[in-house]
Amino acid sequence: MKRILVADDEDVLRMLITDTLEDEGYEIVEAEDGQQALSKIEKESFDLVILDYMMPEYTGIEVAAQLSDEWKQQTPLVMLTAKTQESDIQQSKDVGIHYFMAKPFSPLELIQMVEEILT
């Protein structure tokens, strides 16, 4: 079973993502902020990490920036963001984010992206 870390400070959105992906057979671990995400990444292994751009403690950008290049080569990162300007996307790419999903998104879009990445 593929393990996915979902880091988002919005409870409702995190629950939607978790429920959607668990229904597809993925094991989901949740983090409420960037600090929790980093802590879980240090202690556990994941097949995919989904980060919200704007979170307390550390933003998704700050989380990605603290991960080693080797780790990022082995584990795909998805950035969820309402910030879709080219400069925001470029900043994400600069810290090793592999994929982007603009908010709002549909559960079907999420499933399709995760399946593309993990298959």
Side-chain angles (χ1 to χ4, degrees), residues 19-74:
D19 290 348
T20 299
L21 295 177
E22 282 181 342
D23 286 349
E24 296 298 310
Y26 297 103
E27 179 184 346
I28 306 302
V29 176
E30 296 183 25
E32 296 177 8
D33 60 44
Q35 179 62 50
Q36 279 188 11
L38 275 174
S39 177
K40 290 176 188 286
I41 288 168
E42 290 170 2
K43 296 174 186 168
E44 304 175 48
S45 63
F46 298 98
D47 298 292
L48 175 67
V49 173
I50 299 174
L51 297 169
D52 183 26
Y53 192 101
M54 298 298 295
M55 292 186 288
E57 306 301 327
Y58 296 115
T59 66
I61 295 286
E62 292 168 331
V63 170
Q66 293 186 52
L67 301 172
S68 72
D69 289 340
E70 180 182 336
W71 188 93
K72 288 183 269 193
Q73 288 173 359
Q74 296 173 3

Side-chain angles (χ1 to χ4, degrees), residues 76-88:
L77 294 169
V78 174
M79 181 68 74
L80 296 178
T81 182
K83 298 175 69 116
T84 56
Q85 293 183 335
E86 190 58 40
S87 61
D88 299 317

